[in-house]
Amino acid sequence: MKMQKLKLSCLILLLLSACSTAQAQLRVKVSSEKLGQTGSSMVVDLTFDVSALNMKSVESLIYTPILVSGKNKMELPKLILKSKLRYKLDVREKDLNGTPLEAVSNYEVNMRTPVYKVERFDRKTRSQIPYHVTVPFKVWMDGATLQIREEAFGCCGAPAQQVATAKTSGKQVEINPQFRYLTPEKEKEKIRYEIGEAYLDFPQGQSVILPNFRGNRGELDKINQMIVLVATDPDVKVTGVEMRGYASPEGSQKLNYELSFKRAQAMREYFVQMSTIPSGLFRTGVGGEDWDGLKRMVQDMYYMLPMKWDILAIIEREYDLDRREQLIKNLGGGAPYKKIYRDLYPKLRRVDCQINYVVRDFTLEEGKRRIKEKPKLLSQNEMYQVARTYPEGSREFNETLLTARNHFPNNDIANINAAAAALAEGDVELGREYLDKVENTDSPEYDNCMGVLYMYDGDYEEAETHLLRAQAAGVNEATHNLRELARVRGNKPSTGRREK
C-alpha cells in the first residue's frame, strides 16, 4: 500500500435518543504523516498539534486511533493528555497509593487498550506530539478507515466523545443504494413499565417516610407524577406497582435487609393512600445493601476519596458483605470510610418504584399521533406501519425507523431497518453501528445492507459477495446495488452467484 498524507474529516458521535451524527471538530489538529502497509506491518504515523488547545484545570483528554473496515476493528494504543494540575495530582496519587499514571475517572476505561504515552499538556514547551505505532498487517486493513476517538474527562462523569475519520486509501464513493425493509411481527401484548428512583432521606436505622424531611418532598412528588401520568392515560391499564427498598451498608447485612424491606413497605403505604390504583396491585421488594450504587459513586469521586482503588478492589473480590464493609473500615486508619459514611451512604437509602402496565393496540391514525407524543406506547410493528405512510427514503420515513430502533435496540429487524435508513442517507458509521448489533445475520436484507456498507468502505469483493447472496434470495434491490457496484468499479454487473 502506498504511503500518503491524509486529511482528517471530523465526526462527533452524539449519544442522544435520536442517535444522530453531525459534523464537528476535534479539539486538537491531527495530521497523518504515514498511514499504510510497509512489508508485514501496518504503520500509523500521526502528529497531534496542541498549539490551539485549551484544557480545563483538572482535565484529561484521551485519543484512541481505531482501524475500521466493515466489522473488523482494532483499537491502537491511546495517547493521554493531562492538564498541568491533573498531571500533578496524578503523580501525587501514584506516589501515595500506587494508582497508575494513565488512570482516569472511569475505572473500566483503563482496561480497554494499552497506553502509547501520557503527556503533561504544556503548549509553550511542546506544541506538537508525535504518534508512531506499527501493528502486524492483516488483509482487512487494506483500504481500512482510521478513526480517532477523543474522550474528555473532568473530575467525574462519563466522557464526551468525538471521532475523526480518514481513509487509508482511495475516496468514499457516491452511490444511490436501494433497500428492502422488514415488517416486524405484532406484539401479542404490549407490556411496558416505568421506573422512578426516590432518593429519600431516612434517619439512620429508620424506615418511616418523612415528607418534609430534607429533600423528600421533591422526591415523593417525582414518583407521584410518574404514577399519575401512567394511571390516568386512557390507552393503558396498570397491572402492578412495585416498591423496592435499599439500604446503605453500615451495620449487619441481616439488619439492612430488614430495613430495606420496611422502607419499601412504608413507601407502599404512602402511595396506596394517595393513588387511585387498587391497593392489591401494590407490592414490595427488597434490594438490600446497595453495593452497586456505592461502587458507581466511588468510581466517580476520583481525587476526592483517598485509597479509592483499594476500596474498589475490596468490593470486587470480597463476597461476604459484612467482611467487605469491615475491610473498608480498616483502610487508611478509617479516613476513607468516614468520608464514604458522611458523603455517600445517605444517597444509598432509597426506594425504587416500578409501575407495570399494558397498552391497547392503536389504529394507524392513532399511531401517527402517539408516536410524536409518547413513542414508547407503540409496538415496533405499529411504528413500521406509520413509517410506511411516508415516501420510502423520505426524512419522515427514515426518522420513524430510527425511532423504532431506539425503542427496540436489541431487535434484529429494528437494527436492519434503521441501518438501511442510515445508509440511504449516506450515514455510513451509523449504519455500521446498527449492523454490528444484529445477532441473526442470515437474512437477505442484512446481506443487502452489508453489501452497501462494504461498497462505501471500498471493499468491493465483500460487497459483491453479500449483494449476490441477497440477489439469490430474491431481493430485487440487490440487483440495483450490483449495478451501482459495477459503476463504481468500472466493470459490467455480475449476473450470477459468485462462490468464495
Side-chain angles (χ1 to χ4, degrees):
M1 184 186 298
K2 184 181 178 181
M3 293 294 186
Q4 54 187 305
K5 286 190 176 183
L6 298 169
K7 295 181 180 179
L8 297 174
S9 59
C10 299
L11 298 172
I12 182 171
L13 301 183
L14 301 178
L15 306 180
L16 302 176
S17 59
C19 292
S20 60
T21 305
Q23 294 297 320
Q25 291 290 332
L26 299 181
R27 290 170 60 183
V28 300
K29 293 181 180 179
V30 185
S31 59
S32 172
E33 305 301 326
K34 293 180 180 179
L35 185 59
Q37 180 184 2
T38 299
S40 61
S41 298
M42 169 63 82
V43 178
V44 178
D45 197 350
L46 309 172
T47 298
F48 290 79
D49 186 341
V50 299
S51 58
L53 175 65
N54 289 312
M55 295 187 73
K56 297 177 182 178
S57 60
V58 183
E59 185 179 31
S60 285
L61 293 174
I62 298 180
Y63 293 95
T64 308
I66 310 168
L67 288 169
V68 179
S69 179
K71 284 197 167 185
N72 295 300
K73 290 185 180 182
M74 176 184 288
E75 292 199 3
L76 303 177
K78 56 195 175 188
L79 171 68
I80 302 179
L81 300 181
K82 294 178 180 283
S83 66
K84 294 179 182 179
L85 178 57
R86 181 67 171 262
Y87 191 89
K88 181 179 179 181
L89 292 171
D90 279 352
V91 171
R92 181 186 176 194
E93 181 77 7
K94 180 177 183 294
D95 292 340
L96 290 175
N97 300 313
T99 304
L101 189 58
E102 62 268 21
V104 292
S105 61
N106 187 334
Y107 182 70
E108 285 79 11
V109 81
N110 301 313
M111 308 303 172
R112 286 192 314 210
T113 56
V115 174
Y116 172 73
K117 186 183 295 183
V118 179
E119 285 271 349
R120 188 182 78 161
F121 170 65
D122 188 350
R123 61 171 172 266
K124 293 182 180 179
T125 59
R126 194 174 193 185
S127 62
Q128 293 189 334
I129 301 173
Y131 178 98
H132 178 79
V133 167
T134 60
V135 295
F137 179 80
K138 298 181 180 180
V139 175
W140 65 264
M141 295 178 182
D142 189 4
T145 295
L146 179 70
Q147 296 181 347
I148 299 178
R149 182 177 63 228
E150 176 187 274
E151 298 168 284
F153 290 85
C155 63
C156 57
Q161 293 191 12
Q162 296 194 105
V163 175
T165 306
K167 295 288 288 183
T168 57
S169 66
K171 298 180 179 179
Q172 181 168 302
V173 297
E174 293 185 4
I175 61 176
N176 179 32
Q178 291 183 2
F179 299 94
R180 187 170 81 178
Y181 297 88
L182 291 162
T183 303
E185 294 182 1
K186 293 183 178 181
E187 289 184 54
K188 294 180 179 179
E189 189 176 34
K190 293 192 292 183
I191 301 173
R192 302 289 187 268
Y193 64 86
E194 305 285 344
I195 295 180
E197 296 178 327
Y199 289 90
L200 300 173
D201 282 308
F202 292 95
Q204 182 182 347
Q206 296 186 27
S207 59
V208 177
I209 292 180
L210 303 176
N212 296 318
F213 182 60
R214 294 181 180 172
N216 284 353
R217 176 61 64 187
E219 294 295 305
L220 293 169
D221 288 346
K222 179 177 64 177
I223 298 298
N224 185 58
Q225 183 180 20
M226 179 188 74
I227 293 175
V228 169
L229 285 175
V230 174
T232 58
D233 192 318
D235 295 327
V236 310
K237 178 183 177 181
V238 176
T239 58
V241 182
E242 181 176 343
M243 305 295 182
R244 183 174 296 272
Y246 293 87
S248 49
E250 76 272 16
S252 71
Q253 182 184 359
K254 181 176 182 297
L255 177 63
N256 287 326
Y257 183 91
E258 295 173 352
L259 187 59
S260 64
F261 179 67
K262 289 179 180 179
R263 287 173 176 170
Q265 282 186 315
M267 184 88 151
R268 176 189 180 279
E269 294 304 318
Y270 180 86
F271 281 104
V272 162
Q273 299 298 321
M274 294 184 60
S275 175
T276 59
I277 298 173
S279 60
L281 294 179
F282 283 83
R283 296 181 291 272
T284 55
V286 183
E289 297 178 351
D290 187 15
W291 283 98
D292 289 337
L294 178 62
K295 179 182 175 181
R296 288 192 297 270
M297 287 190 284
V298 168
Q299 288 171 348
D300 287 344
M301 288 194 74
Y302 197 62
Y303 295 112
M304 295 176 285
L305 180 64
M307 306 191 76
K308 163 184 170 177
W309 307 105
D310 298 275
I311 295 169
L312 291 172
I314 291 172
I315 293 175
E316 287 291 335
R317 72 169 184 259
E318 182 55 62
Y319 293 98
D320 184 318
L321 300 187
D322 289 338
R323 176 170 167 75
R324 179 188 291 180
E325 185 192 11
Q326 188 59 50
L327 289 173
I328 295 175
K329 280 184 177 181
N330 295 339
L331 287 174
Y337 182 80
K338 288 179 181 178
K339 188 169 183 61
I340 290 175
Y341 183 88
R342 183 186 70 243
D343 297 340
L344 303 186
Y345 275 9
K347 301 176 183 178
L348 301 175
R349 303 164 194 151
R350 73 179 198 279
V351 179
D352 291 351
C353 173
Q354 177 171 320
I355 180 167
N356 304 307
Y357 56 96
V358 294
V359 187
R360 71 173 180 86
D361 293 335
F362 295 126
T363 65
L364 187 57
E365 288 306 312
E366 288 173 334
K368 291 185 72 171
R369 174 176 55 85
R370 288 300 254 164
I371 198 171
K372 297 177 181 179
E373 300 170 350
K374 195 170 184 180
K376 183 177 182 177
L377 299 183
L378 276 71
S379 68
Q380 188 185 347
N381 179 272
E382 289 170 332
M383 291 184 183
Y384 181 74
Q385 298 306 326
V386 170
R388 300 302 303 182
T389 65
Y390 304 110
E392 189 172 300
S394 66
R395 179 178 59 84
E396 295 84 357
F397 177 86
N398 292 338
E399 285 181 354
T400 304
L401 293 183
L402 293 177
T403 297
R405 189 270 166 188
N406 292 338
H407 286 275
F408 300 91
N410 300 316
N411 183 277
D412 283 353
I413 290 178
N415 277 298
I416 291 172
N417 284 348
L423 292 171
E425 294 186 344
D427 195 333
V428 179
E429 294 310 315
L430 195 59
R432 189 193 317 277
E433 176 187 337
Y434 294 153
L435 291 173
D436 282 346
K437 299 292 185 181
V438 176
E439 294 291 334
N440 182 7
T441 60
D442 292 334
S443 76
E445 290 81 7
Y446 171 83
D447 276 318
N448 186 53
C449 287
M450 286 301 298
V452 172
L453 178 63
Y454 278 119
M455 204 189 317
Y456 273 123
D457 284 343
D459 190 340
Y460 300 140
E461 292 298 317
E462 281 295 328
E464 185 178 19
T465 296
H466 284 278
L467 291 175
L468 285 172
R469 192 181 300 154
Q471 183 190 51
V475 178
N476 294 331
E477 291 79 2
T479 302
H480 167 86
N481 293 333
L482 282 166
R483 293 194 188 99
E484 286 292 289
L485 176 61
R487 179 178 61 79
V488 299
R489 296 175 81 174
N491 298 324
K492 294 182 179 180
S494 299
T495 57
R497 184 184 180 90
R498 179 176 64 83
E499 299 294 335
K500 291 189 73 175

